[in-house]
Amino acid sequence: MDADHGGRTGNEKKLVWPDVTNRPHTDQDGPVPEPAGRRPGGGLGALPLPYQVPAALALAVMGLFACAHIAMIFLHVAPSNTLTKQHGEVVDDWVYPEFEQNWKLFAPNPLQQNISVHVRAEVADNGADGSRVTRWINLSRDDGEAIRGNLLPSHVDQNGLRRAWDFYTGSHDSENRPNGLRGELSERYIRRIVMLRLAEHGYGGTVERIQVRSSVRSVGAPTWSDEKINTRPEYRELPWWTVTPSDLPGATTADRAAQPWKAEE
Protein backbone atom coordinates (compact mmCIF):
# COMPACT_ATOMS: atom_id res chain seq x y z
CA MET A 1 0.00 0.00 0.00
CA ASP A 2 1.68 3.15 -1.18
CA ALA A 3 1.40 6.44 0.61
CA ASP A 4 1.12 9.76 -1.20
CA HIS A 5 3.21 12.74 -0.45
CA GLY A 6 0.85 13.83 2.40
CA GLY A 7 1.30 10.58 4.27
CA ARG A 8 -2.11 9.21 3.23
CA THR A 9 -2.63 5.83 1.67
CA GLY A 10 -4.39 5.41 -1.62
CA ASN A 11 -7.46 3.83 -0.01
CA GLU A 12 -8.22 6.77 2.29
CA LYS A 13 -11.16 9.03 1.30
CA LYS A 14 -10.78 12.75 0.97
CA LEU A 15 -12.64 14.73 3.67
CA VAL A 16 -15.18 17.24 2.31
CA TRP A 17 -16.40 19.98 4.63
CA PRO A 18 -20.10 21.00 4.24
CA ASP A 19 -21.05 24.46 3.05
CA VAL A 20 -22.60 26.28 6.04
CA THR A 21 -23.29 29.59 4.36
CA ASN A 22 -26.99 28.85 3.61
CA ARG A 23 -27.93 26.44 6.38
CA PRO A 24 -30.39 27.61 9.12
CA HIS A 25 -29.01 29.09 12.30
CA THR A 26 -29.24 27.02 15.47
CA ASP A 27 -28.74 27.76 19.16
CA GLN A 28 -25.46 25.88 19.07
CA ASP A 29 -24.03 28.48 16.73
CA GLY A 30 -24.38 31.26 19.32
CA PRO A 31 -26.41 34.52 19.21
CA VAL A 32 -27.04 36.29 15.94
CA PRO A 33 -25.66 39.83 15.94
CA GLU A 34 -28.30 42.61 15.64
CA PRO A 35 -28.29 44.49 12.33
CA ALA A 36 -26.82 47.95 12.46
CA GLY A 37 -29.27 50.70 13.41
CA ARG A 38 -31.88 48.43 15.07
CA ARG A 39 -32.55 48.62 18.80
CA PRO A 40 -32.98 45.36 20.74
CA GLY A 41 -36.49 44.37 21.88
CA GLY A 42 -39.93 45.38 20.53
CA GLY A 43 -42.66 47.98 21.13
CA LEU A 44 -41.54 51.50 21.94
CA GLY A 45 -38.01 50.26 22.53
CA ALA A 46 -37.68 49.46 18.84
CA LEU A 47 -38.28 53.11 17.90
CA PRO A 48 -35.49 55.65 17.68
CA LEU A 49 -35.18 57.77 20.80
CA PRO A 50 -36.66 61.00 19.26
CA TYR A 51 -39.89 59.09 18.46
CA GLN A 52 -40.25 57.28 21.76
CA VAL A 53 -41.39 60.33 23.77
CA PRO A 54 -44.28 61.39 21.42
CA ALA A 55 -45.39 57.77 21.10
CA ALA A 56 -45.40 57.30 24.87
CA LEU A 57 -47.39 60.51 25.36
CA ALA A 58 -49.93 59.47 22.72
CA LEU A 59 -50.42 56.08 24.38
CA ALA A 60 -50.79 57.73 27.78
CA VAL A 61 -53.46 60.15 26.49
CA MET A 62 -55.37 57.32 24.80
CA GLY A 63 -55.21 55.25 27.97
CA LEU A 64 -56.47 58.11 30.14
CA PHE A 65 -59.32 58.83 27.69
CA ALA A 66 -60.37 55.17 27.64
CA CYS A 67 -60.32 54.97 31.45
CA ALA A 68 -62.33 58.21 31.77
CA HIS A 69 -64.92 57.00 29.24
CA ILE A 70 -65.36 53.64 30.97
CA ALA A 71 -65.72 55.40 34.33
CA MET A 72 -68.37 57.79 32.96
CA ILE A 73 -70.42 54.98 31.40
CA PHE A 74 -70.15 52.96 34.61
CA LEU A 75 -71.40 55.88 36.72
CA HIS A 76 -74.22 56.47 34.23
CA VAL A 77 -75.59 52.91 34.40
CA ALA A 78 -74.74 52.32 38.07
CA PRO A 79 -77.33 52.84 40.83
CA SER A 80 -77.46 56.22 42.51
CA ASN A 81 -74.45 56.80 44.73
CA THR A 82 -72.41 59.61 46.25
CA LEU A 83 -70.42 60.30 43.08
CA THR A 84 -73.47 60.45 40.81
CA LYS A 85 -75.25 62.77 43.22
CA GLN A 86 -72.30 65.17 43.31
CA HIS A 87 -71.24 64.94 39.66
CA GLY A 88 -74.43 63.84 37.91
CA GLU A 89 -74.45 66.81 35.52
CA VAL A 90 -70.87 66.10 34.42
CA VAL A 91 -71.73 62.45 33.73
CA ASP A 92 -74.87 63.40 31.76
CA ASP A 93 -72.96 65.97 29.69
CA TRP A 94 -70.45 63.26 28.78
CA VAL A 95 -72.98 60.56 27.94
CA TYR A 96 -75.70 62.51 26.11
CA PRO A 97 -76.36 62.45 23.26
CA GLU A 98 -73.54 60.46 21.66
CA PHE A 99 -73.25 57.63 24.22
CA GLU A 100 -76.87 57.30 25.28
CA GLN A 101 -77.79 53.97 26.86
CA ASN A 102 -81.32 53.01 25.85
CA TRP A 103 -82.53 49.47 26.52
CA LYS A 104 -86.19 49.91 25.62
CA LEU A 105 -85.81 47.54 22.69
CA PHE A 106 -85.24 44.66 25.13
CA ALA A 107 -87.68 45.82 27.80
CA PRO A 108 -90.84 43.85 28.62
CA ASN A 109 -92.88 46.63 26.96
CA PRO A 110 -90.95 47.82 23.89
CA LEU A 111 -91.99 50.94 22.01
CA GLN A 112 -95.18 50.32 20.05
CA GLN A 113 -95.86 53.82 18.71
CA ASN A 114 -94.38 56.10 16.10
CA ILE A 115 -94.13 59.63 17.50
CA SER A 116 -93.29 62.57 15.27
CA VAL A 117 -92.97 66.25 16.17
CA HIS A 118 -94.44 68.94 13.91
CA VAL A 119 -94.19 72.72 13.94
CA ARG A 120 -95.79 75.62 12.14
CA ALA A 121 -94.86 79.28 12.30
CA GLU A 122 -96.50 82.66 12.01
CA VAL A 123 -94.29 84.73 9.72
CA ALA A 124 -94.41 88.49 9.25
CA ASP A 125 -93.93 89.29 5.55
CA ASN A 126 -91.10 91.73 4.98
CA GLY A 127 -92.32 94.85 3.24
CA ALA A 128 -96.00 93.92 3.62
CA ASP A 129 -98.65 94.36 6.27
CA GLY A 130 -99.96 91.38 8.18
CA SER A 131 -98.57 87.89 8.60
CA ARG A 132 -99.14 84.35 7.38
CA VAL A 133 -99.08 80.89 8.96
CA THR A 134 -96.96 78.19 7.37
CA ARG A 135 -97.96 74.60 6.86
CA TRP A 136 -97.12 71.96 9.46
CA ILE A 137 -93.51 70.80 9.09
CA ASN A 138 -92.65 67.25 10.15
CA LEU A 139 -89.31 67.69 11.94
CA SER A 140 -89.06 63.99 12.76
CA ARG A 141 -89.34 63.15 9.06
CA ASP A 142 -86.44 65.51 8.34
CA ASP A 143 -84.37 63.63 10.92
CA GLY A 144 -85.29 60.33 9.31
CA GLU A 145 -84.22 61.53 5.87
CA ALA A 146 -80.88 62.69 7.30
CA ILE A 147 -80.28 59.25 8.82
CA ARG A 148 -81.52 57.06 5.97
CA GLY A 149 -78.64 55.86 3.82
CA ASN A 150 -76.04 57.34 6.16
CA LEU A 151 -73.47 54.76 7.26
CA LEU A 152 -72.43 56.87 10.27
CA PRO A 153 -75.52 58.84 11.38
CA SER A 154 -75.18 61.36 14.17
CA HIS A 155 -76.78 60.67 17.53
CA VAL A 156 -77.97 64.28 17.48
CA ASP A 157 -80.06 63.56 14.37
CA GLN A 158 -81.32 60.32 15.85
CA ASN A 159 -82.08 61.37 19.41
CA GLY A 160 -81.91 65.17 19.82
CA LEU A 161 -85.53 65.98 18.96
CA ARG A 162 -86.89 62.73 20.38
CA ARG A 163 -85.17 63.22 23.73
CA ALA A 164 -86.35 66.84 23.87
CA TRP A 165 -89.97 65.79 23.31
CA ASP A 166 -89.72 63.01 25.91
CA PHE A 167 -88.29 65.62 28.29
CA TYR A 168 -91.25 67.91 27.65
CA THR A 169 -93.99 65.28 28.00
CA GLY A 170 -92.37 63.88 31.14
CA SER A 171 -92.36 67.28 32.85
CA HIS A 172 -95.86 68.48 31.84
CA ASP A 173 -99.37 67.31 32.60
CA SER A 174 -102.08 66.60 30.05
CA GLU A 175 -103.02 70.32 30.04
CA ASN A 176 -99.44 71.32 29.11
CA ARG A 177 -98.80 72.81 32.54
CA PRO A 178 -95.16 72.53 33.63
CA ASN A 179 -94.24 70.54 36.71
CA GLY A 180 -91.68 72.78 38.38
CA LEU A 181 -88.42 74.11 36.99
CA ARG A 182 -87.77 71.12 34.75
CA GLY A 183 -90.97 71.89 32.90
CA GLU A 184 -89.85 75.42 32.11
CA LEU A 185 -86.43 74.15 31.06
CA SER A 186 -87.95 71.59 28.69
CA GLU A 187 -90.10 74.30 27.07
CA ARG A 188 -87.09 76.50 26.40
CA TYR A 189 -85.22 73.49 25.03
CA ILE A 190 -88.02 72.66 22.58
CA ARG A 191 -88.29 76.28 21.44
CA ARG A 192 -84.58 76.56 20.67
CA ILE A 193 -84.50 73.28 18.75
CA VAL A 194 -87.53 74.33 16.71
CA MET A 195 -86.07 77.74 15.87
CA LEU A 196 -82.79 76.12 14.89
CA ARG A 197 -84.67 73.85 12.47
CA LEU A 198 -86.81 76.68 11.09
CA ALA A 199 -83.65 78.65 10.33
CA GLU A 200 -82.89 76.02 7.69
CA HIS A 201 -86.11 76.93 5.84
CA GLY A 202 -86.45 80.26 4.08
CA TYR A 203 -89.85 81.90 4.50
CA GLY A 204 -89.01 85.42 3.37
CA GLY A 205 -89.98 86.95 6.69
CA THR A 206 -89.47 87.04 10.43
CA VAL A 207 -90.86 84.21 12.56
CA GLU A 208 -92.97 85.82 15.26
CA ARG A 209 -94.78 82.85 16.79
CA ILE A 210 -94.48 79.07 16.67
CA GLN A 211 -96.77 76.19 17.55
CA VAL A 212 -95.62 72.61 18.16
CA ARG A 213 -97.64 69.42 18.07
CA SER A 214 -96.99 65.69 18.24
CA SER A 215 -98.46 62.96 16.09
CA VAL A 216 -98.77 59.56 17.77
CA ARG A 217 -99.52 56.59 15.55
CA SER A 218 -99.66 53.01 16.84
CA VAL A 219 -97.55 50.45 15.02
CA GLY A 220 -99.73 48.17 12.95
CA ALA A 221 -100.01 44.45 13.63
CA PRO A 222 -97.92 42.08 11.47
CA THR A 223 -99.57 40.36 8.55
CA TRP A 224 -99.64 36.99 10.32
CA SER A 225 -101.49 38.40 13.36
CA ASP A 226 -105.27 38.70 13.80
CA GLU A 227 -104.88 41.60 16.22
CA LYS A 228 -106.80 44.76 15.29
CA ILE A 229 -104.90 47.99 15.97
CA ASN A 230 -106.09 51.51 15.23
CA THR A 231 -103.26 53.21 13.34
CA ARG A 232 -104.93 56.60 12.93
CA PRO A 233 -102.73 59.40 14.32
CA GLU A 234 -103.61 61.26 17.49
CA TYR A 235 -102.41 64.85 17.83
CA ARG A 236 -101.37 66.86 20.85
CA GLU A 237 -101.14 70.57 20.10
CA LEU A 238 -99.21 72.97 22.32
CA PRO A 239 -100.16 76.64 22.69
CA TRP A 240 -98.71 79.32 20.44
CA TRP A 241 -95.38 80.67 21.70
CA THR A 242 -94.06 84.14 20.92
CA VAL A 243 -90.46 84.00 19.73
CA THR A 244 -87.96 85.87 21.92
CA PRO A 245 -84.30 86.74 21.23
CA SER A 246 -83.20 83.92 23.55
CA ASP A 247 -84.88 81.39 21.21
CA LEU A 248 -82.92 82.40 18.13
CA PRO A 249 -79.81 80.53 16.96
CA GLY A 250 -76.67 82.24 18.19
CA ALA A 251 -78.41 83.89 21.14
CA THR A 252 -76.04 85.37 23.70
CA THR A 253 -76.02 84.71 27.42
CA ALA A 254 -77.54 88.14 28.01
CA ASP A 255 -80.46 87.29 25.69
CA ARG A 256 -81.12 84.04 27.54
CA ALA A 257 -80.96 85.76 30.90
CA ALA A 258 -83.63 88.25 29.86
CA GLN A 259 -87.27 88.20 30.97
CA PRO A 260 -88.64 84.63 30.57
CA TRP A 261 -91.24 84.12 27.86
CA LYS A 262 -94.81 83.13 28.54
CA ALA A 263 -97.05 80.91 26.47
CA GLU A 264 -100.09 82.59 25.00
CA GLU A 265 -103.47 81.61 26.24
Side-chain angles (χ1 to χ4, degrees), residues 128-176:
D129 296 334
S131 59
R132 57 186 176 86
V133 177
T134 66
R135 60 178 178 83
W136 286 104
I137 304 171
N138 191 335
L139 301 180
S140 300
R141 180 184 300 168
D142 294 342
D143 288 346
E145 293 177 353
I147 296 170
R148 190 174 296 110
N150 189 346
L151 296 179
L152 297 173
S154 170
H155 270 272
V156 175
D157 293 335
Q158 298 180 71
N159 299 317
L161 181 62
R162 179 184 64 83
R163 294 285 299 178
W165 184 253
D166 289 344
F167 185 21
Y168 179 90
T169 56
S171 57
H172 285 72
D173 59 19
S174 59
E175 300 297 328
N176 298 319

Coordinates of all heavy atoms in Angstrom, one line a residue, residues 128-176:
A128 N -94.5 94.0 3.8 CA -96.0 93.9 3.6 C -96.7 93.9 5.0 O -96.0 93.6 6.0 CB -96.4 92.7 2.8
D129 N -97.9 94.3 5.0 CA -98.6 94.4 6.3 C -99.2 93.0 6.5 O -99.6 92.2 5.6 CB -99.8 95.4 6.2 CG -99.2 96.8 6.1 OD1 -98.1 97.0 6.5 OD2 -99.9 97.7 5.5
G130 N -99.4 92.6 7.8 CA -100.0 91.4 8.2 C -98.9 90.3 8.3 O -97.7 90.5 8.2
S131 N -99.4 89.1 8.5 CA -98.6 87.9 8.6 C -99.3 86.7 8.0 O -100.5 86.7 7.7 CB -98.2 87.7 10.1 OG -99.4 87.5 10.8
R132 N -98.6 85.6 7.9 CA -99.1 84.4 7.4 C -98.6 83.2 8.2 O -97.6 83.3 8.9 CB -98.7 84.1 5.9 CG -97.2 84.1 5.7 CD -96.9 84.1 4.2 NE -95.5 84.2 4.0 CZ -94.6 83.2 4.0 NH1 -95.1 81.9 4.3 NH2 -93.3 83.3 3.9
V133 N -99.4 82.1 8.2 CA -99.1 80.9 9.0 C -98.6 79.8 8.0 O -99.3 79.6 7.0 CB -100.3 80.4 9.8 CG1 -100.0 79.1 10.5 CG2 -100.7 81.5 10.8
T134 N -97.5 79.2 8.2 CA -97.0 78.2 7.4 C -97.7 76.9 7.6 O -98.5 76.7 8.5 CB -95.5 78.0 7.7 OG1 -95.3 77.4 9.0 CG2 -94.7 79.3 7.6
R135 N -97.4 76.0 6.7 CA -98.0 74.6 6.9 C -97.2 73.9 8.0 O -96.2 74.3 8.5 CB -97.8 73.8 5.6 CG -96.3 73.7 5.2 CD -96.1 72.9 3.9 NE -94.7 72.8 3.5 CZ -93.8 71.9 4.1 NH1 -94.2 71.1 5.0 NH2 -92.6 71.9 3.7
W136 N -97.8 72.8 8.4 CA -97.1 72.0 9.5 C -95.9 71.3 8.8 O -96.0 70.7 7.8 CB -98.1 70.9 10.0 CG -99.1 71.4 10.9 CD1 -100.4 71.6 10.6 CD2 -98.9 71.8 12.3 NE1 -101.1 72.1 11.7 CE2 -100.2 72.2 12.8 CE3 -97.9 71.9 13.2 CZ2 -100.4 72.7 14.1 CZ3 -98.1 72.3 14.4 CH2 -99.3 72.7 14.9
I137 N -94.8 71.4 9.5 CA -93.5 70.8 9.1 C -93.2 69.6 10.0 O -93.1 69.8 11.2 CB -92.4 71.8 9.1 CG1 -92.7 73.1 8.3 CG2 -91.1 71.2 8.7 CD1 -91.7 74.2 8.5
N138 N -93.0 68.5 9.4 CA -92.7 67.3 10.2 C -91.1 67.2 10.4 O -90.3 66.8 9.6 CB -93.1 66.0 9.4 CG -93.0 64.7 10.2 OD1 -92.3 64.7 11.2 ND2 -93.8 63.8 9.8
L139 N -90.7 67.7 11.6 CA -89.3 67.7 11.9 C -88.7 66.3 12.1 O -87.6 66.0 11.8 CB -89.1 68.5 13.2 CG -89.6 70.0 13.2 CD1 -89.3 70.6 14.5 CD2 -88.9 70.7 12.1
S140 N -89.5 65.4 12.6 CA -89.1 64.0 12.8 C -88.8 63.3 11.4 O -87.8 62.6 11.3 CB -90.1 63.2 13.5 OG -90.3 63.7 14.8
R141 N -89.6 63.7 10.4 CA -89.3 63.1 9.1 C -88.0 63.7 8.5 O -87.3 63.0 7.9 CB -90.5 63.5 8.1 CG -90.3 63.0 6.7 CD -91.5 63.5 5.8 NE -92.7 63.0 6.3 CZ -93.9 63.5 5.9 NH1 -94.0 64.5 5.0 NH2 -95.0 63.0 6.4
D142 N -87.7 65.0 8.8 CA -86.4 65.5 8.3 C -85.3 64.8 9.0 O -84.3 64.5 8.3 CB -86.4 67.0 8.7 CG -87.4 67.8 7.9 OD1 -87.9 67.4 6.9 OD2 -87.6 69.0 8.4
D143 N -85.4 64.4 10.3 CA -84.4 63.6 10.9 C -84.2 62.3 10.3 O -83.1 61.8 10.1 CB -84.7 63.5 12.4 CG -84.5 64.8 13.2 OD1 -83.9 65.7 12.6 OD2 -85.0 64.8 14.3
G144 N -85.3 61.6 9.9 CA -85.3 60.3 9.3 C -84.6 60.4 8.0 O -83.8 59.5 7.6
E145 N -84.9 61.4 7.2 CA -84.2 61.5 5.9 C -82.7 61.8 6.0 O -81.9 61.3 5.2 CB -84.9 62.7 5.1 CG -86.3 62.4 4.7 CD -87.0 63.6 4.0 OE1 -86.3 64.6 3.9 OE2 -88.1 63.4 3.5
A146 N -82.3 62.5 7.1 CA -80.9 62.7 7.3 C -80.2 61.4 7.7 O -79.0 61.2 7.5 CB -80.7 63.8 8.4
I147 N -80.9 60.5 8.3 CA -80.3 59.3 8.8 C -80.3 58.2 7.7 O -79.3 57.4 7.6 CB -81.0 58.8 10.1 CG1 -80.9 59.8 11.2 CG2 -80.5 57.4 10.5 CD1 -81.8 59.4 12.4
R148 N -81.4 58.1 6.9 CA -81.5 57.1 6.0 C -80.4 57.1 4.9 O -80.1 58.1 4.3 CB -82.9 57.2 5.3 CG -83.3 56.0 4.4 CD -84.7 56.1 3.9 NE -85.6 56.1 5.0 CZ -86.3 57.2 5.4 NH1 -86.2 58.3 4.8 NH2 -87.2 57.1 6.4
G149 N -79.7 56.0 4.8 CA -78.6 55.9 3.8 C -77.3 56.3 4.3 O -76.3 56.2 3.6
N150 N -77.3 56.8 5.6 CA -76.0 57.3 6.2 C -75.4 56.2 6.9 O -76.0 55.7 7.9 CB -76.3 58.5 7.1 CG -75.1 59.2 7.5 OD1 -74.0 58.7 7.4 ND2 -75.2 60.4 8.1
L151 N -74.1 55.9 6.6 CA -73.5 54.8 7.3 C -73.1 55.1 8.7 O -73.0 54.3 9.6 CB -72.2 54.3 6.5 CG -72.5 53.8 5.1 CD1 -71.2 53.4 4.4 CD2 -73.4 52.5 5.1
L152 N -72.8 56.4 8.9 CA -72.4 56.9 10.3 C -73.3 58.0 10.7 O -72.9 59.2 10.8 CB -71.0 57.3 10.3 CG -69.9 56.2 10.0 CD1 -68.5 56.8 9.8 CD2 -70.0 55.1 11.0
P153 N -74.6 57.7 11.0 CA -75.5 58.8 11.4 C -75.2 59.4 12.7 O -74.6 58.7 13.6 CB -76.9 58.2 11.4 CG -76.6 56.7 11.7 CD -75.3 56.4 11.0
S154 N -75.5 60.7 12.9 CA -75.2 61.4 14.2 C -76.2 61.0 15.2 O -77.4 60.9 14.9 CB -75.1 62.9 14.0 OG -75.1 63.6 15.2
H155 N -75.8 60.9 16.5 CA -76.8 60.7 17.5 C -77.6 61.9 17.7 O -78.8 61.8 18.3 CB -76.0 60.3 18.8 CG -75.8 58.9 19.0 ND1 -76.7 58.0 19.6 CD2 -74.8 58.1 18.6 CE1 -76.2 56.8 19.7 NE2 -75.0 56.8 19.1
V156 N -77.2 63.1 17.4 CA -78.0 64.3 17.5 C -79.2 64.2 16.5 O -80.3 64.5 16.9 CB -77.1 65.5 17.2 CG1 -78.0 66.8 17.2 CG2 -76.0 65.7 18.2
D157 N -78.9 63.7 15.3 CA -80.1 63.6 14.4 C -81.0 62.5 14.8 O -82.2 62.5 14.6 CB -79.5 63.2 13.0 CG -78.8 64.4 12.4 OD1 -79.0 65.5 12.7 OD2 -77.9 64.2 11.5
Q158 N -80.5 61.4 15.5 CA -81.3 60.3 15.9 C -82.1 60.6 17.1 O -83.3 60.2 17.2 CB -80.5 59.1 16.1 CG -79.7 58.6 14.8 CD -78.9 57.4 15.1 OE1 -79.4 56.3 15.3 NE2 -77.6 57.5 15.1
N159 N -81.5 61.3 18.1 CA -82.1 61.4 19.4 C -82.3 62.8 19.9 O -83.0 62.9 20.9 CB -81.1 60.7 20.4 CG -81.0 59.2 20.1 OD1 -81.9 58.5 19.8 ND2 -79.7 58.7 20.2
G160 N -81.8 63.8 19.3 CA -81.9 65.2 19.8 C -83.4 65.6 20.0 O -83.8 66.0 21.1
L161 N -84.1 65.6 18.9 CA -85.5 66.0 19.0 C -86.4 65.0 19.8 O -87.2 65.4 20.6 CB -86.1 66.1 17.5 CG -87.5 66.6 17.4 CD1 -87.7 68.0 18.0 CD2 -88.0 66.5 16.0
R162 N -86.1 63.7 19.6 CA -86.9 62.7 20.4 C -86.7 62.9 21.9 O -87.7 62.9 22.7 CB -86.5 61.3 19.9 CG -87.2 60.2 20.7 CD -86.7 58.8 20.2 NE -85.3 58.7 20.6 CZ -84.9 58.3 21.8 NH1 -85.8 58.0 22.8 NH2 -83.7 58.1 22.1
R163 N -85.4 63.1 22.3 CA -85.2 63.2 23.7 C -85.8 64.5 24.3 O -86.3 64.6 25.4 CB -83.7 63.2 24.0 CG -83.0 61.9 23.7 CD -83.3 60.9 24.7 NE -82.8 61.3 26.0 CZ -82.9 60.6 27.1 NH1 -83.6 59.4 27.1 NH2 -82.5 61.0 28.3
A164 N -85.8 65.6 23.4 CA -86.3 66.8 23.9 C -87.9 66.7 24.1 O -88.4 67.2 25.0 CB -86.0 67.9 22.8
W165 N -88.5 66.0 23.2 CA -90.0 65.8 23.3 C -90.3 64.9 24.5 O -91.3 65.2 25.2 CB -90.6 65.2 22.0 CG -92.1 65.1 22.1 CD1 -92.8 64.0 22.2 CD2 -93.0 66.2 22.1 NE1 -94.1 64.3 22.3 CE2 -94.3 65.7 22.2 CE3 -92.8 67.6 22.0 CZ2 -95.4 66.4 22.2 CZ3 -94.0 68.4 22.0 CH2 -95.3 67.8 22.1
D166 N -89.5 63.8 24.7 CA -89.7 63.0 25.9 C -89.5 63.8 27.2 O -90.2 63.6 28.2 CB -88.7 61.8 25.9 CG -89.1 60.8 24.8 OD1 -90.2 60.8 24.3 OD2 -88.2 60.0 24.5
F167 N -88.5 64.7 27.2 CA -88.3 65.6 28.3 C -89.5 66.5 28.6 O -89.9 66.7 29.7 CB -87.0 66.5 28.0 CG -86.6 67.3 29.1 CD1 -86.9 67.1 30.4 CD2 -85.8 68.4 28.9 CE1 -86.5 67.9 31.5 CE2 -85.3 69.2 29.9 CZ -85.7 69.0 31.2
Y168 N -90.1 67.0 27.5 CA -91.3 67.9 27.6 C -92.5 67.1 28.2 O -93.1 67.6 29.2 CB -91.6 68.6 26.3 CG -92.8 69.5 26.4 CD1 -92.7 70.8 26.7 CD2 -94.1 69.0 26.1 CE1 -93.8 71.6 26.8 CE2 -95.2 69.8 26.2 CZ -95.0 71.1 26.5 OH -96.1 72.0 26.6
T169 N -92.8 66.0 27.6 CA -94.0 65.3 28.0 C -93.8 64.7 29.4 O -94.8 64.6 30.1 CB -94.3 64.1 27.0 OG1 -93.1 63.3 26.9 CG2 -94.6 64.7 25.6
G170 N -92.6 64.4 29.8 CA -92.4 63.9 31.1 C -92.4 64.9 32.2 O -92.5 64.6 33.4
S171 N -92.4 66.2 31.9 CA -92.4 67.3 32.8 C -93.6 68.2 32.7 O -93.6 69.3 33.2 CB -91.1 68.1 32.7 OG -90.9 68.6 31.4
H172 N -94.6 67.7 32.0 CA -95.9 68.5 31.8 C -97.0 67.5 32.0 O -96.9 66.3 31.8 CB -96.0 69.1 30.5 CG -95.1 70.3 30.3 ND1 -93.7 70.2 30.2 CD2 -95.4 71.7 30.2 CE1 -93.2 71.5 30.0 NE2 -94.2 72.3 30.1
D173 N -98.2 68.1 32.5 CA -99.4 67.3 32.6 C -100.1 67.3 31.3 O -99.7 67.9 30.3 CB -100.2 67.8 33.8 CG -100.6 69.3 33.6 OD1 -100.6 69.8 32.4 OD2 -101.0 69.9 34.6
S174 N -101.3 66.7 31.3 CA -102.1 66.6 30.0 C -102.6 67.9 29.6 O -103.0 68.1 28.4 CB -103.3 65.7 30.3 OG -104.1 66.1 31.3
E175 N -102.6 69.0 30.4 CA -103.0 70.3 30.0 C -101.8 71.2 29.7 O -102.0 72.4 29.6 CB -103.8 70.9 31.2 CG -105.1 70.2 31.6 CD -106.1 70.1 30.4 OE1 -106.1 71.1 29.6 OE2 -106.8 69.1 30.3
N176 N -100.7 70.6 29.5 CA -99.4 71.3 29.1 C -99.0 72.3 30.2 O -98.3 73.3 29.9 CB -99.6 72.1 27.8 CG -99.9 71.1 26.6 OD1 -99.3 70.0 26.5 ND2 -100.9 71.5 25.8

